[in-house]
Coordinates of all heavy atoms in Angstrom, one line a residue:
L1 N -201.4 37.8 -115.5 CA -201.3 37.2 -116.8 C -200.5 37.9 -117.9 O -199.7 37.3 -118.5 CB -202.9 37.3 -117.4 CG -203.0 36.7 -118.9 CD1 -202.7 35.2 -119.0 CD2 -204.5 36.9 -119.5
C2 N -200.4 39.2 -117.7 CA -199.6 40.1 -118.4 C -198.0 39.6 -118.2 O -197.2 39.5 -119.0 CB -199.6 41.6 -118.2 SG -201.0 42.4 -118.9
D3 N -197.8 39.4 -116.8 CA -196.4 39.0 -116.4 C -196.0 37.6 -117.0 O -194.9 37.4 -117.6 CB -196.3 38.9 -114.9 CG -196.3 40.3 -114.3 OD1 -196.0 41.3 -115.0 OD2 -196.6 40.4 -113.1
R4 N -196.9 36.7 -116.9 CA -196.7 35.3 -117.5 C -196.4 35.4 -119.0 O -195.5 34.7 -119.5 CB -197.9 34.3 -117.1 CG -197.9 34.0 -115.6 CD -198.7 32.7 -115.6 NE -200.1 32.8 -116.1 CZ -201.2 33.4 -115.4 NH1 -200.9 33.9 -114.1 NH2 -202.3 33.5 -115.9
M5 N -197.3 36.1 -119.7 CA -197.1 36.1 -121.1 C -195.9 36.9 -121.5 O -195.3 36.5 -122.4 CB -198.4 36.7 -121.7 CG -199.6 35.8 -121.7 SD -201.1 36.3 -122.7 CE -202.0 34.9 -122.8
G6 N -195.6 37.9 -120.8 CA -194.3 38.7 -121.1 C -193.1 37.9 -121.0 O -192.2 37.9 -121.7
M7 N -193.0 37.0 -119.9 CA -191.8 36.2 -119.7 C -191.8 35.1 -120.8 O -190.7 34.8 -121.3 CB -191.8 35.6 -118.4 CG -191.5 36.5 -117.2 SD -191.4 35.8 -115.6 CE -193.1 35.5 -115.2
A8 N -192.9 34.7 -121.3 CA -193.0 33.6 -122.3 C -192.5 34.3 -123.7 O -191.8 33.7 -124.5 CB -194.4 33.1 -122.5
S9 N -192.9 35.6 -123.9 CA -192.4 36.2 -125.1 C -190.8 36.4 -125.1 O -190.2 36.2 -126.1 CB -193.0 37.7 -125.2 OG -194.3 37.7 -125.5
R10 N -190.1 36.7 -123.9 CA -188.8 36.8 -123.9 C -188.1 35.4 -124.1 O -187.1 35.4 -124.9 CB -188.4 37.2 -122.5 CG -186.9 37.3 -122.2 CD -186.1 38.3 -123.1 NE -184.7 38.1 -122.9 CZ -183.8 39.0 -123.4 NH1 -184.2 40.0 -124.1 NH2 -182.5 38.8 -123.2
K11 N -188.7 34.4 -123.7 CA -188.1 33.1 -123.9 C -188.2 32.7 -125.5 O -187.1 32.2 -125.9 CB -188.8 32.0 -123.1 CG -188.6 32.0 -121.6 CD -189.3 31.0 -120.9 CE -189.1 31.1 -119.4 NZ -189.9 30.1 -118.6
I12 N -189.2 33.1 -126.1 CA -189.3 32.9 -127.7 C -188.2 33.7 -128.3 O -187.6 33.2 -129.2 CB -190.8 33.2 -128.1 CG1 -191.8 32.2 -127.5 CG2 -190.8 33.3 -129.5 CD1 -193.2 32.7 -127.8
A13 N -188.1 35.0 -127.8 CA -187.0 35.8 -128.4 C -185.7 35.2 -128.3 O -184.8 35.1 -129.2 CB -187.1 37.2 -127.8
E14 N -185.3 34.6 -127.1 CA -184.1 34.1 -126.9 C -183.8 32.9 -127.7 O -182.7 32.7 -128.2 CB -183.9 33.7 -125.3 CG -183.8 34.9 -124.5 CD -183.9 34.5 -122.9 OE1 -184.2 33.2 -122.7 OE2 -183.6 35.4 -122.2
K15 N -184.9 32.1 -128.0 CA -184.8 30.8 -128.8 C -184.6 31.2 -130.4 O -184.1 30.3 -131.0 CB -185.9 30.0 -128.5 CG -186.0 28.7 -129.2 CD -187.1 27.8 -128.8 CE -187.1 26.5 -129.6 NZ -188.3 25.8 -129.3
T16 N -185.4 32.2 -130.7 CA -185.6 32.5 -132.2 C -184.9 33.7 -132.8 O -184.5 33.7 -134.1 CB -187.2 32.3 -132.5 OG1 -187.7 31.2 -131.8 CG2 -187.4 32.3 -134.0
Y17 N -185.0 34.7 -132.0 CA -184.7 36.0 -132.7 C -183.4 36.6 -132.5 O -183.0 37.7 -132.9 CB -185.7 37.0 -132.2 CG -187.1 36.7 -132.2 CD1 -188.0 37.1 -131.3 CD2 -187.7 36.0 -133.4 CE1 -189.4 36.9 -131.4 CE2 -189.0 35.6 -133.5 CZ -189.9 36.1 -132.4 OH -191.1 35.7 -132.5
D18 N -182.5 35.8 -131.8 CA -181.2 36.3 -131.4 C -180.4 36.7 -132.8 O -180.2 35.9 -133.7 CB -180.3 35.1 -130.8 CG -179.0 35.6 -130.4 OD1 -178.6 36.8 -130.5 OD2 -178.5 34.8 -129.5
I19 N -179.7 38.0 -132.7 CA -179.2 38.5 -134.0 C -178.0 37.5 -134.3 O -177.6 37.4 -135.6 CB -178.7 39.8 -133.7 CG1 -178.2 40.5 -135.0 CG2 -177.6 40.0 -132.6 CD1 -179.1 40.8 -136.0
N20 N -177.3 36.9 -133.3 CA -176.1 36.1 -133.8 C -176.6 34.9 -134.6 O -175.9 34.6 -135.5 CB -175.4 35.7 -132.4 CG -174.9 36.7 -131.7 OD1 -174.1 37.6 -132.1 ND2 -175.3 36.9 -130.4
F21 N -177.6 34.4 -134.2 CA -178.3 33.2 -135.0 C -178.6 33.6 -136.4 O -178.3 33.0 -137.4 CB -179.4 32.6 -134.3 CG -180.3 31.5 -135.0 CD1 -179.9 30.3 -135.2 CD2 -181.5 32.0 -135.6 CE1 -180.6 29.4 -135.9 CE2 -182.2 31.0 -136.4 CZ -181.7 29.8 -136.5
V22 N -179.5 34.8 -136.4 CA -179.9 35.3 -137.7 C -178.8 35.7 -138.8 O -178.8 35.2 -139.8 CB -180.8 36.4 -137.6 CG1 -181.2 37.1 -138.9 CG2 -182.1 36.1 -136.7
V23 N -177.7 36.4 -138.1 CA -176.7 36.7 -139.1 C -175.9 35.5 -139.5 O -175.5 35.3 -140.6 CB -175.7 37.8 -138.3 CG1 -174.4 38.0 -139.1 CG2 -176.5 39.1 -138.1
G24 N -175.7 34.6 -138.5 CA -175.0 33.3 -138.8 C -175.6 32.6 -140.0 O -174.8 32.1 -140.9
K25 N -177.0 32.4 -140.0 CA -177.7 31.9 -141.2 C -177.4 32.5 -142.4 O -177.2 31.9 -143.6 CB -179.1 31.8 -140.8 CG -179.6 30.9 -139.7 CD -179.6 29.5 -140.1 CE -180.7 29.2 -141.0 NZ -180.8 27.7 -141.3
H26 N -177.4 33.8 -142.4 CA -177.1 34.6 -143.7 C -175.7 34.3 -144.2 O -175.4 34.1 -145.5 CB -177.2 36.1 -143.5 CG -178.7 36.5 -143.5 ND1 -179.5 36.5 -142.4 CD2 -179.5 37.2 -144.4 CE1 -180.7 37.0 -142.7 NE2 -180.7 37.5 -143.9
L27 N -174.7 34.3 -143.4 CA -173.3 34.2 -143.8 C -173.2 32.7 -144.3 O -172.4 32.5 -145.2 CB -172.3 34.4 -142.6 CG -172.3 35.9 -142.1 CD1 -171.3 36.0 -141.0 CD2 -172.2 36.9 -143.2
Q28 N -173.8 31.8 -143.7 CA -173.7 30.5 -144.2 C -174.3 30.3 -145.7 O -173.7 29.6 -146.6 CB -174.6 29.5 -143.4 CG -174.0 29.1 -142.0 CD -174.9 28.3 -141.1 OE1 -175.9 27.8 -141.6 NE2 -174.7 28.3 -139.8
I29 N -175.3 31.1 -145.9 CA -175.9 31.1 -147.3 C -175.0 31.7 -148.3 O -174.7 31.2 -149.4 CB -177.3 31.7 -147.4 CG1 -178.3 31.0 -146.5 CG2 -177.8 31.9 -148.7 CD1 -179.6 31.8 -146.2
Y30 N -174.3 32.8 -147.9 CA -173.3 33.4 -148.8 C -172.2 32.5 -149.1 O -171.8 32.3 -150.3 CB -172.7 34.7 -148.1 CG -173.8 35.9 -147.8 CD1 -173.4 36.9 -146.9 CD2 -175.0 35.9 -148.4 CE1 -174.3 37.9 -146.7 CE2 -175.9 36.9 -148.3 CZ -175.4 38.0 -147.3 OH -176.4 39.0 -147.1
D31 N -171.7 31.8 -148.0 CA -170.5 30.9 -148.2 C -170.9 29.9 -149.2 O -170.2 29.4 -149.9 CB -170.0 30.4 -146.8 CG -169.4 31.5 -146.0 OD1 -168.9 32.5 -146.6 OD2 -169.3 31.3 -144.8
R32 N -172.1 29.2 -148.9 CA -172.6 28.2 -149.7 C -172.6 28.6 -151.2 O -172.2 27.9 -152.1 CB -173.8 27.6 -149.3 CG -174.5 26.4 -149.9 CD -175.7 25.9 -149.4 NE -176.4 25.0 -150.1 CZ -177.7 24.5 -149.8 NH1 -178.2 24.9 -148.7 NH2 -178.2 23.5 -150.6
L33 N -173.3 29.6 -151.5 CA -173.4 30.1 -152.9 C -172.0 30.4 -153.5 O -171.8 30.0 -154.7 CB -174.2 31.4 -152.9 CG -175.7 31.3 -152.8 CD1 -176.4 32.7 -152.5 CD2 -176.3 30.7 -153.9
Y34 N -171.1 30.9 -152.7 CA -169.7 31.1 -153.2 C -169.1 29.8 -153.6 O -168.4 29.7 -154.6 CB -168.9 32.0 -152.2 CG -167.6 32.4 -152.7 CD1 -167.5 33.4 -153.7 CD2 -166.4 31.7 -152.4 CE1 -166.2 33.9 -154.1 CE2 -165.1 32.1 -152.8 CZ -165.0 33.1 -153.9 OH -163.9 33.5 -154.3
R35 N -169.1 28.9 -152.7 CA -168.5 27.5 -152.9 C -169.2 26.8 -154.2 O -168.5 26.2 -155.1 CB -168.8 26.6 -151.7 CG -167.9 27.0 -150.5 CD -167.8 25.8 -149.5 NE -169.1 25.4 -149.1 CZ -169.8 25.8 -148.1 NH1 -169.2 26.8 -147.5 NH2 -170.9 25.3 -147.8
N36 N -170.5 27.0 -154.2 CA -171.2 26.4 -155.4 C -170.8 26.9 -156.7 O -170.7 26.2 -157.7 CB -172.7 26.4 -155.3 CG -173.2 25.6 -154.2 OD1 -172.6 24.7 -153.6 ND2 -174.5 25.8 -153.7
S37 N -170.6 28.3 -156.7 CA -170.1 28.9 -158.0 C -168.8 28.5 -158.4 O -168.5 28.5 -159.6 CB -170.2 30.5 -157.8 OG -169.1 30.9 -157.0
K38 N -167.9 28.2 -157.5 CA -166.5 27.8 -157.7 C -166.5 26.4 -158.4 O -165.7 25.9 -159.2 CB -165.6 27.9 -156.6 CG -165.5 29.3 -156.1 CD -164.3 29.6 -155.1 CE -163.0 29.4 -155.7 NZ -161.9 29.7 -154.8
E39 N -167.5 25.6 -157.9 CA -167.5 24.1 -158.2 C -168.2 23.9 -159.5 O -168.0 22.9 -160.3 CB -168.3 23.3 -157.2 CG -167.5 23.3 -155.8 CD -168.4 22.7 -154.7 OE1 -169.6 22.3 -155.1 OE2 -168.0 22.7 -153.6
S40 N -169.1 24.9 -160.0 CA -169.9 24.7 -161.2 C -169.1 25.2 -162.5 O -168.1 25.9 -162.3 CB -171.2 25.4 -161.1 OG -171.0 26.8 -160.9

């Protein structure tokens, strides 16, 4: 049971916690705020 649940944890990490995904979302927010400030 430990093995099955451990492998499931890893799959969740790969889908949701990847640093490349998380950083990319932050940079998108920065870019959007910067564009909005120039348009307003």
Side-chain angles (χ1 to χ4, degrees):
L1 180 62
C2 287
D3 289 337
R4 287 198 303 274
M5 287 189 166
M7 286 187 281
S9 286
R10 174 65 187 190
K11 289 178 181 177
I12 291 171
E14 291 173 348
K15 181 180 178 181
T16 309
Y17 307 146
D18 186 353
I19 190 66
N20 297 305
F21 169 77
V22 170
V23 171
K25 289 281 288 183
H26 281 82
L27 297 187
Q28 288 173 15
I29 295 167
Y30 296 164
D31 289 339
R32 180 175 171 182
L33 285 168
Y34 186 76
R35 288 197 306 271
N36 289 349
S37 71
K38 297 191 75 174
E39 293 170 0
S40 59

